[in-house]
């Protein structure tokens, strides 16, 4: 079984709709991250959480919100989706160690906003 | 500020060596990483190098780090069609506890 899972894997929605992307992990890691991937732009960090009570904005948090329901679960919401939020979204986890930061990624959610 | 740049595309023939380059701007980087993304999948760590090293070799992979020029490269020897993927470099910076990823290089290996 995969250590980091994301649901749904694909989603098509319309402008203005509320969307939630979910991430679960069985690695027992405290740290969780949400990224979006766009061609030619690489991965950009949306939000990150170092434990259940610690949530931080990344470089592109506008238009997004997150919820850390438990150590194992980290959800990303788009309150009112817009077409330029069409992208591939990844969740990742990592252990709390010094400055070495190996991150483990889920398979991604492809979101299309029409 | 943090900025990591890569060329977008590289095409090689099977059996040749591939060299993927990366430049970064933050001199306080502690670790630098190479991640591989296969089609339809998430990223997986391929290898990493600590900032006080110049070179690291792991089977067909060689990582070179030039701290003076802030340049990182990944050499894949005897490239195979299964190496076709997107390769991302990333840096972790002391005190920031997060990774900054490059733009990704799509490697296409033709038979």
């Amino acid at each position: 079984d995969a250590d980091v899972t994301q649901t749904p894997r694909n989603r098509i929605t319309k402008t203005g709709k509320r969307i939630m992307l979910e991430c679960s992990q069985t690695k027992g890691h405290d740290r969780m991250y949400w990224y979006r991937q766009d061609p030619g732009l690489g991965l950009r960090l949306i939000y990150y959480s170092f434990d259940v009570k610690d949530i931080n904005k990344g470089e592109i948090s506008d238009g997004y919100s997150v919820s850390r329901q438990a150590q194992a679960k980290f959800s990303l919401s788009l309150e009112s989706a817009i077409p330029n939020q069409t992208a591939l979204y990844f969740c990742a986890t990592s252990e709390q160690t010094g400055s070495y930061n190996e991150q483990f990624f889920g398979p991604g959610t492809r979101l299309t906003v029409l | 500020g943090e900025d990591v740049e890569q060329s977008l595309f590289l095409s090689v023939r099977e059996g040749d060596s591939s060299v993927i380059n990366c430049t970064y701007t933050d001199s306080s980087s502690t670790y630098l990483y190479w991640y591989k993304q296969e089609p339809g999948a998430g990223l997986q760590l391929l290898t990493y190098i600590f900032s006080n090293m110049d070179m690291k070799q792991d089977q067909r992979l060689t990582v070179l780090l030039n701290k003076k020029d802030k340049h990182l490269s990944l050499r894949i020897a005897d490239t195979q069609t299964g190496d076709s993927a997107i390769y991302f470099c990333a840096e972790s910076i002391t005190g920031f506890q997060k990774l900054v990823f490059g733009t990704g290089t799509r490697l296409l290996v033709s038979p």
Side-chain angles (χ1 to χ4, degrees):
Chain A
D1 287 340
D3 295 318
V4 184
T5 56
Q6 293 183 233
T7 55
R9 294 294 314 276
N10 287 282
R11 182 71 185 267
I12 300 173
T13 191
K14 293 182 179 179
T15 297
K17 293 291 188 181
R18 184 176 186 275
I19 295 295
M20 180 180 284
L21 309 183
E22 300 191 351
C23 177
S24 293
Q25 53 116 345
T26 58
K27 298 190 77 67
H29 290 166
D30 285 324
R31 298 180 176 187
M32 297 186 75
Y33 310 80
W34 275 105
Y35 294 91
R36 65 176 279 174
Q37 182 181 11
D38 299 276
L41 295 178
L43 266 70
R44 292 181 291 167
L45 184 62
I46 306 172
Y47 270 95
Y48 60 105
S49 169
F50 285 165
D51 66 41
V52 174
K53 295 180 182 178
D54 178 57
I55 292 178
N56 306 278
K57 292 183 178 181
E59 57 182 307
I60 54 161
S61 58
D62 287 350
Y64 301 95
S65 62
V66 290
S67 172
R68 185 81 184 266
Q69 301 94 322
Q71 187 206 37
K73 294 185 183 296
F74 193 35
S75 300
L76 176 72
S77 293
L78 288 68
E79 296 301 326
S80 179
I82 56 176
N84 77 0
Q85 291 177 313
T86 293
L88 190 53
Y89 289 85
F90 287 103
C91 173
T93 73
S94 69
E95 286 187 282
Q96 185 177 353
T97 59
S99 51
Y100 177 68
N101 190 352
E102 178 182 359
Q103 295 188 6
F104 297 83
F105 284 79
T109 294
R110 185 168 295 280
L111 177 67
T112 302
V113 183
L114 302 175
Chain B
E2 310 147 3
D3 198 11
V4 183
E5 300 274 343
Q6 299 177 239
S7 54
L8 289 181
F9 190 74
L10 176 65
S11 179
V12 301
R13 289 198 176 274
E14 193 172 21
D16 289 348
S17 292
S18 306
V19 179
I20 301 171
N21 295 300
C22 171
T23 57
Y24 58 98
T25 56
D26 201 308
S27 58
S28 61
S29 296
T30 52
Y31 287 90
L32 294 124
Y33 310 79
W34 284 103
Y35 279 80
K36 179 182 181 182
Q37 182 185 23
E38 297 190 0
L43 282 69
Q44 258 192 314
L45 182 67
L46 201 56
T47 187
Y48 67 93
I49 188 167
F50 187 51
S51 58
N52 69 352
M53 297 170 64
D54 297 325
M55 186 181 89
K56 180 178 180 181
Q57 190 146 4
D58 183 3
Q59 299 182 333
R60 292 190 298 121
L61 305 177
T62 303
V63 179
L64 296 178
L65 176 60
N66 181 329
K67 285 198 73 176
K68 176 176 169 290
D69 294 338
K70 299 190 184 71
H71 183 265
L72 180 74
S73 67
L74 173 70
R75 180 177 180 269
I76 306 173
D78 187 25
T79 313
Q80 303 297 307
T81 53
D83 294 323
S84 292
I86 302 176
Y87 292 81
F88 291 90
C89 64
E91 57 175 346
S92 59
I93 302 164
T94 303
F96 283 87
Q97 300 181 352
K98 58 184 174 74
L99 295 183
V100 178
F101 284 88
T103 48
T105 299
R106 183 179 293 274
L107 174 65
L108 179 63
V109 183
S110 53

